[in-house]
Amino acid sequence: MIYNNLIYILVVLLILSTRAVPAEPQLPPLVALLLFLGKAAGYLFLARRLFAGNRRASAPEYFAAEQKLSLVAILCFGLDIYLLDAPYYFAKLPLAATLPATTEWCGIALFFGYLSLLWLAGRPVYGAVFGRRHSARTFLAANLKVNLAIILPWLLLSLLVDLLRLVPPLRSLLATPWGEPLLILLFFLLLLVLFPALIIRLWGCTPMPAGPLRHQIEQFCRRHRIAYADIMLWPLFEGRLLTAGVMGIAGRFRYLLVTPALLETMTPQEVEAVIAHEVGHVRHHHLQLYLLIFLGFGLLTQLISYPFLSLLLNSGLFFDLVQLSGRSPVTALTVASSMALVALVVLYFRYLFGFFMRNFERQADLYALTAVGEAAPLVRVFEKIAWLSGQIRDLPSWHHFGIGERIDFLRASEADPRRATRHHRKVRLSLGLFVLALAAGALLLAKMPSDLLEGAPKSRFAEALLLEKISAEPTNPLWRHLLGDLRFSRRDFAAARTAYEDALRLDAGNPETLNNLAWLLLAAEDRRLLDPPRALALARAAAGLSNSPHVLDTLATAYWANGDRARAIAVGEQALKQEPINRAYYEEQLRRFRTASFPAQLPLPQ
């Protein structure tokens, strides 16, 4: 449950991070509210219907239903964010202006609202499948506490960044290229130490009472040189789940967690086997390696993002779809980027992270085999967990291997110790390849051109934005004028001429549009578009409205193109007198008027 929800929450965070707060909602507030309430009611109905059809479900069927409903919750959440513009309403809350993270916190609360509907609908089935009876309040609180641990670091970091931005000197530090990454690094270093203590308080853990069993665990840890802060009772789902865990990288801040149900169900030897498994994670440095794998995802995201955006913005299909959908290019790009990031999260954590998790668990099993001296105690633990948890022995797991698979591997490794050696070698080789890939990725990222999104990608995206503006404001000549400038700059002369002509039909007295169209009719590389007589008429009209140097230069060039060198030189000298900075250009123009003949290569807009 926790591992699946980790992926779901990462997807939700990506959706939140890629959706800016809109200036105005797409739908009227009352319509958006009715759609939201209808969707939430529909989700609750679906959850109850799905679980009602599984009253006699097995554990695999229960988890399958929970997974399906979690995915539907993400879909509903995405609709709230992208279609119903939930961030717009979150941003209206009193604290949002001071603490922008408020909008993202509200987004997380919204997603947990959907999950709460799921948990409440599935509670009766959960009790029937696993033989555990929980009140609605207890069941909901337990699920929220477990999942809050996943999101807590992000919540604290976002709050800290907003608070620091309220302090002017720190705000300046955060604005530097290295300020925010440095803050995040320091925060996580601090969190590595303090996070376990925060979580055990959040979960309501209490120290394991003194007694023979605690003494046995302490002796085992002492023999295996494992430092820890305390051994805690973990009251997960009223302590009725059969599980254990270890939290904390540093020994003085490390906690061993065991649920009361596990201590009640297992013999002292079996409890020692469970603790040996958790100690195996520490001895093999799995917690540190998990952090490395998380950092790898950040690097991979940075490495892929620019090439992906470049590929997308160079794709004619993308802009065709934008036109067909009638959506804003910004929205389309955001949605496409979000979908790509969601796919990356699922693939990375479900397969690569899952691969390491499964094999780390197997290493911990092997450590328990060696520490205890035989496979039987841990095998009995697994068999009891499988039976007491709803006959889940053959339930496949992407993050732990199935219980049956783990039992088979333990017995095979006990019979042939070389299997354990081969497994450890496999893990070391996989980690080596992963670190090598990270190093190569970091090198590629450092060598990646900083202007990858410049040129054609940027130009095509700008054109899509202008076309959106033209569609939204068809009588505003500014957007057509800017579209003409953009197309002229990339030498799409025929399309630029069309845009300028459309702008002049809306505003025939705009000197800049008159001037730019005149220059196009003089400078176009496609000679079929050259039209010196009309260019002269346009240039005269522009000069009658503005005597700016560049407008006079266009008029002088039009005279020259029409064979009137004297007027061209006279107007060119007038333009030169008014231009104190770029004199070299105007002097070159005068030289052209005196010595060259039209057509000649004229400078084009950059």
Side-chain angles (χ1 to χ4, degrees), residues 219-274:
Q219 289 292 101
F220 180 88
C221 292
R222 193 172 296 114
R223 289 198 306 271
H224 291 265
R225 301 188 304 279
I226 297 298
Y228 56 88
D230 207 343
I231 305 168
M232 310 296 290
L233 293 179
W234 188 4
L236 187 61
F237 290 94
E238 299 176 346
R240 304 319 302 164
L241 282 188
L242 300 170
T243 189
V246 59
M247 285 196 307
I249 291 177
R252 292 177 57 190
F253 302 95
R254 180 182 296 127
Y255 293 89
L256 296 174
L257 307 179
V258 289
T259 59
L262 186 135
L263 297 178
E264 294 166 5
T265 307
M266 307 299 166
T267 66
Q269 187 183 30
E270 291 164 356
V271 171
E272 184 171 297
V274 172

Side-chain angles (χ1 to χ4, degrees), residues 266-267 269-270 374-385:
M266 307 299 166
T267 66
Q269 187 183 30
E270 291 164 356
E374 57 176 330
L378 193 56
V379 167
R380 291 197 300 272
V381 169
F382 289 150
E383 294 286 9
K384 288 181 180 180
I385 290 174

Side-chain angles (χ1 to χ4, degrees), residues 41 45 115 135 147 194 209 256 331 444 477 567:
F45 173 79
L115 292 184
S135 67
N147 287 278
L194 300 181
L256 296 174
T331 300
L444 283 174
R567 286 187 179 180

Side-chain angles (χ1 to χ4, degrees), residues 396-471:
S397 172
W398 64 268
H399 48 80
H400 277 85
F401 284 116
I403 288 179
E405 293 176 292
R406 295 172 72 178
I407 290 172
D408 293 342
F409 186 80
L410 270 173
R411 286 172 172 163
S413 299
E414 184 178 33
D416 181 7
R418 290 176 298 178
R419 293 177 68 94
T421 303
R422 288 195 296 269
H423 182 74
H424 293 313
R425 187 185 303 122
K426 169 188 170 182
V427 173
R428 286 195 298 270
L429 178 61
S430 301
L431 286 170
L433 291 174
F434 178 73
V435 171
L436 185 63
L438 284 185
L443 181 62
L444 283 174
L445 189 60
K447 298 292 184 181
M448 190 177 293
S450 59
D451 60 350
L452 194 61
L453 296 180
E454 298 297 323
K458 186 175 181 179
S459 174
R460 296 191 70 174
F461 189 66
E463 181 175 11
L465 289 174
L466 289 172
L467 290 172
E468 180 199 9
K469 288 292 187 182
I470 290 171
S471 177

Side-chain angles (χ1 to χ4, degrees), residues 72-154:
V72 175
I74 292 176
L75 176 61
C76 291
F77 177 78
L79 291 174
D80 291 335
I81 298 301
Y82 286 114
L83 178 63
L84 303 185
D85 295 313
Y88 172 82
Y89 300 101
F90 296 155
K92 298 296 183 182
L93 295 173
L95 279 177
T98 306
L99 301 174
T102 302
T103 59
E104 295 175 336
W105 284 40
C106 290
I108 292 296
L110 175 60
F111 178 67
F112 274 105
Y114 284 113
L115 292 184
S116 296
L117 295 178
L118 182 164
W119 294 325
L120 290 174
R123 180 181 64 89
V125 181
Y126 182 94
V129 171
F130 298 101
R132 297 287 186 268
R133 301 297 179 185
H134 305 285
S135 67
R137 180 177 179 180
T138 299
F139 191 70
L140 186 60
N143 276 288
L144 287 172
K145 286 180 180 180
V146 169
N147 287 278
L148 186 58
I150 301 173
I151 198 67
L152 187 59
W154 177 84

